[in-house]
Amino acid sequence: MSELTPLSEVGEFGLIRRIKEKVVLQHPSTIKGIGDDAAVLEPEEKQLVVTSDMLLEGIHFDLTFCPLKHLGYKAVAVNVSDIAAMNAKPTQITVNIAVGARYTVEAIDELYEGIRLACENYKVDLVGGDTTSSRTGLVISITAIGEVAKGEAAMRSGAKVNDLICLTGDIGSAYMGLQVLEREKQAFMADPEMQPQLDKYEYIVGRQLKPEARMDVIYELKEFGIKPTAMIDVSDGLASELMHICSQSGVGATIYRENLPADNQMLEAAMEFNLDPVMCMLNGGEDYELLFTIPLEDYEKIKNLPDVSLIGKITEASEGVNLANKHGQAFPLKAQGWTHF
Ligand SMILES: Nc1ncnc2c1ncn2[C@@H]1O[C@H](COP(=O)(O)OP(=O)(O)O)[C@@H](O)[C@H]1O
Ligand SMILES: Cc1ncc(C[n+]2csc(CCOP(=O)(O)OP(=O)(O)O)c2C)c(N)n1
Ligand SMILES: [Mg+2]
């Protein structure tokens, strides 16, 4: 095994130099990246979108089952997902990390390998950040900047009565992936000889550890001439996100249980864990899919998009937010997804 280097050997500035050396800037709007008191950007004639999300050890990730490279990728992806949810294109990120003194240079290299891979995939420039020590665990906080043409940003507040409610991908899988990982961790702690059994859960575990921001769908919507009237990404759970759209738009909604997009592995794992798959889909969280509304007239355009499901319709506010079953019975939806407190 190769030697590991303590962080104290390179120091804060040595670490930053190491990070900077591997950064390749690709956006013409990045005038100055890492290395000065602040980055300098020169955006085009567009509106800027700015968002931050942080990931904390013990709250958002567990290093016993989350490799640092995946963590770096996920930290970027969840931020790009918020940019996507504004119907915008990501351009730059800054990365703040707080790291325990016992970390090695090689461990931080791994983390940044994931960050770099995500920057390459989403075509964003890493233009700065901050590095501090931590006494309580690893913290990663990312700010993402993006651009959108004037008037094209999709707010949570734009949904109109009779709009169609659309959802990308499938939901509930990241949550079930986490249940599997936590179970295998418990089994391993009880008996370190135990090898984790993850083969048949590859997809759902991947959804937890390696989520993708749906920039692909943002580009497709543009290509098909569809502008969502409202949009949000699913981080805390579908029910919770739908409530945000409804309250901010002053509307109600009905979604149909039969139309909720489920993956087979998620359904099988839910059965194994004795969990109601519909509850997992509504409240699981961390799917990083896009929930958006479109005018009814755009139905013909949207039905050709392979990875978009029509899950319901927007109604008058007085009708509330409901989940309907195949017999047409509707029940008020409760947001029981992730909250921090
Ligand atoms: N500590 C904070 N200070 C200021 N604004 C915040 C803070 N936390 C969240 N916000 C803002 O509140 C809104 C909702 O945040 P959040 O629920 O985290 O959204 P998301 O799920 O998209 O990350 C956003 O506009 C965000 O910028
Ligand atoms: C170790 C661990 N515990 C719990 C979770 C589950 N979890 C953590 S944060 C979260 C929701 C999303 O996080 P949040 O900070 O609310 O993101 P935001 O809505 O601001 O994008 C979920 C479901 C996890 N992924 N890992
Ligand atoms: Mg947030």
Side-chain angles (χ1 to χ4, degrees), residues 53 82 156 233 235-236:
D53 261 321
D82 277 322
R156 296 176 179 183
D233 68 325
S235 56
D236 298 328

Side-chain angles (χ1 to χ4, degrees), residues 50-54 78 81-82 85 156 232-236 241 244 248 288 340:
V50 181
T51 181
S52 287
D53 261 321
M54 42 182 183
V78 304
S81 178
D82 277 322
R156 296 176 179 183
I232 190 168
D233 68 325
V234 182
S235 56
D236 298 328
E241 315 301 3
H244 283 311
Q248 292 196 35
Y288 298 102
H340 279 285

Side-chain angles (χ1 to χ4, degrees), residues 175-290:
Y175 173 78
M176 277 319 304
L178 181 61
Q179 305 314 304
V180 169
L181 287 164
E182 280 176 346
R183 181 180 69 183
E184 295 305 310
K185 179 187 172 183
Q186 294 307 327
F188 178 77
M189 290 203 314
D191 174 10
E193 299 282 293
M194 277 276 298
Q195 284 302 310
Q197 300 291 315
L198 297 175
D199 291 359
K200 64 183 238 221
Y201 308 109
E202 202 177 337
Y203 175 72
I204 58 176
V205 165
R207 291 281 285 162
Q208 168 62 220
L209 297 180
K210 297 184 289 183
E212 290 286 357
R214 298 306 307 261
M215 280 311 302
D216 57 329
V217 175
I218 297 303
Y219 294 120
E220 263 176 16
L221 289 176
K222 195 155 281 147
E223 195 182 312
F224 282 72
I226 302 166
K227 189 203 156 191
T229 48
M231 183 149 59
I232 190 168
D233 68 325
V234 182
S235 56
D236 298 328
L238 173 65
S240 164
E241 315 301 3
L242 184 61
M243 302 271 190
H244 283 311
I245 286 187
C246 288
S247 64
Q248 292 196 35
S249 299
V251 295
T254 298
I255 55 171
Y256 302 97
R257 178 193 282 234
E258 299 303 307
N259 295 16
L260 297 181
D263 173 78
N264 271 337
Q265 238 175 54
M266 185 279 291
L267 291 173
E268 278 165 26
M271 205 134 79
E272 204 181 311
F273 280 74
N274 237 330
L275 292 168
D276 175 5
V278 177
M279 289 304 278
C280 298
M281 286 194 279
L282 291 173
N283 300 315
E286 292 185 285
D287 305 297
Y288 298 102
E289 295 296 342
L290 294 170

